[in-house]
Amino acid sequence: MGTEHSKNEERRSMVFLRKGPKLPAWEDALLAGREPKSLLKRGLRYVSLSLIMKGMTSTPDFLWGLHEVQKLNLSHNQLVVIPPSLGKLDRLVVLNLGGNCLKCLPKEIGLLRNLKVLFVNMNCLKEVPAELSLCRKLEVLSLSHNCISQLPLSFTDLTSLRKLNLSNNHFVQIPLCIFALRSLDFLHLGSNKLENIAESIQYLVNLQIFIVENNNIRSLPRSLCYISSLELLNADYNAIQTLPDDLYLLRRLRRIAWNPMDKGLHIAHNPLSRPLPEVVEGGLDVLFNYLRDKKEHN
């Protein structure tokens, strides 16, 4: 009887173990006595490590000894802090910290001199360390869905930056440092608290995609019309009443766009004064002709 009972208990224990939550890959590797380096994947371009959705509240210490890693994904965990040890991974080219609970970034991020792509979207950042500007090779930066209201002036040093996403933050105006980023071809400032766009926007001569939807913008500056490279201008859901007469100069805008993913001019859900709503309904050519005629008769 006692033997049979103990066998049943053993079977139940085995079933429980099989049904229990699986260990994260990195914990499983360490418990099995494997080298942490065995977690690295060696692709054609990068040596990478992905610890996405592992439920981590802190980073494992072994991580900072993996000096050869070039692409690191720590997204969608519950990380509250990234330690200064991040600076040891000076070969990093791509770093994804999105979808965590970070309130700040360590200043040692400035030691990542090879960094080209950085995602820190969907966190709790209120500010960005000035040292990030030391990452002079940075080309892509996403800080969307945070609580940021300003950027350090040192951002003017990020001369290689091409794509910048600052959407869903607390910006009341476009930070002045952005107008020095002449290589930008993508700038997303949607869902902030912007009330205007400074005339200095014209200095972003390579801008192709400019998104300022869902703000409190009352008018578009005339200087915006001189960015001949613009292919997508999204100003949906603002407080715009009139359009600059020179808008017709933006010849790469091919149409009035209604789908958020389409290139063209997005101007829906604004209190446009008459006759602009009817003109816009006629399409981009009709709008441009109207603005051109209006300018000639003024």
Side-chain angles (χ1 to χ4, degrees):
M1 184 75 175
T3 306
E4 186 65 28
H5 177 74
S6 59
K7 285 183 179 180
N8 288 337
E9 285 294 320
E10 186 176 346
R11 284 194 209 100
R12 279 196 290 271
S13 297
M14 292 299 291
V15 170
F16 175 77
L17 286 172
R18 282 197 296 269
K19 289 185 177 180
K22 295 185 72 173
L23 287 169
W26 59 272
E27 286 188 2
D28 192 27
L30 294 184
L31 288 174
R34 289 160 55 195
E35 273 284 321
K37 289 184 179 181
S38 66
L39 296 170
L40 296 176
K41 293 184 178 179
R42 301 181 185 275
L44 293 175
R45 293 187 64 189
Y46 300 126
V47 176
S48 63
L49 172 62
S50 178
L51 297 176
I52 182 175
M53 297 179 69
K54 301 299 182 185
M56 296 187 299
T57 55
S58 61
T59 51
D61 289 340
F62 73 81
L63 183 59
W64 315 120
L66 302 177
H67 301 293
E68 62 266 60
V69 67
Q70 296 168 289
K71 187 175 180 181
L72 177 61
N73 192 342
L74 299 176
S75 65
H76 300 288
N77 282 286
Q78 298 163 34
L79 300 175
V80 177
V81 66
I82 299 294
S85 303
L86 173 67
K88 295 179 180 179
L89 304 183
D90 55 5
R91 294 187 187 178
L92 277 181
V93 177
V94 180
L95 175 59
N96 191 343
L97 300 172
N100 281 287
C101 307
L102 302 175
K103 293 184 178 180
C104 62
L105 294 173
K107 63 181 182 180
E108 286 78 10
I109 198 168
L111 298 175
L112 307 182
R113 303 299 168 86
N114 291 302
L115 197 63
K116 290 186 178 181
V117 179
L118 175 61
F119 290 96
V120 204
N121 51 299
M122 293 186 288
N123 276 280
C124 307
L125 299 182
K126 290 186 177 180
E127 59 183 11
V128 183
E131 288 80 6
L132 182 59
S133 61
L134 297 173
C135 302
R136 303 290 170 82
K137 294 183 180 180
L138 198 62
E139 297 178 6
V140 178
L141 174 60
S142 178
L143 296 167
S144 70
H145 294 83
N146 278 284
C147 305
I148 305 167
S149 59
Q150 57 186 358
L151 294 177
L153 287 175
S154 59
F155 258 49
T156 56
D157 294 333
L158 294 176
T159 53
S160 297
L161 199 62
R162 294 187 300 106
K163 303 186 187 303
L164 177 59
N165 191 339
L166 297 173
S167 63
N168 291 273
N169 275 285
H170 296 166
F171 291 100
V172 176
Q173 61 183 12
I174 301 177
L176 290 176
C177 58
I178 288 180
F179 301 128
L181 306 178
R182 306 296 168 82
S183 296
L184 276 186
D185 58 42
F186 176 99
L187 177 57
H188 195 340
L189 281 156
S191 298
N192 277 281
K193 301 176 181 180
L194 303 179
E195 294 186 357
N196 61 70
I197 300 172
E199 294 286 347
S200 301
I201 192 71
Q202 65 184 313
Y203 296 126
L204 302 182
V205 294
N206 292 302
L207 202 58
Q208 297 176 23
I209 295 177
F210 184 38
I211 303 173
V212 286
E213 64 176 347
N214 194 30
N215 278 284
N216 301 311
I217 297 168
R218 296 171 185 172
S219 64
L220 298 177
R222 183 179 180 184
S223 64
L224 182 64
C225 306
Y226 305 138
I227 306 178
S228 58
S229 55
L230 267 184
E231 298 178 2
L232 189 158
L233 171 56
N234 189 339
D236 285 347
Y237 294 98
N238 276 283
I240 299 170
Q241 296 184 23
T242 61
L243 296 174
D245 292 345
D246 289 334
L247 196 65
Y248 67 88
L249 296 173
L250 298 176
R251 294 184 178 88
R252 292 196 182 183
L253 296 180
R254 300 297 185 188
R255 57 184 167 180
I256 300 291
W258 304 101
N259 186 317
M261 302 302 293
D262 287 344
K263 289 184 177 180
L265 174 63
H266 297 252
I267 198 65
H269 305 285
N270 279 283
L272 295 173
S273 58
R274 289 187 176 279
L276 282 176
E278 292 79 9
V279 174
V280 169
E281 286 288 337
L284 193 65
D285 288 340
V286 173
L287 173 62
F288 280 1
N289 287 334
Y290 167 80
L291 293 173
R292 190 182 293 110
D293 291 344
K294 182 183 173 193
K295 181 182 179 181
E296 289 175 356
H297 287 88
N298 282 344

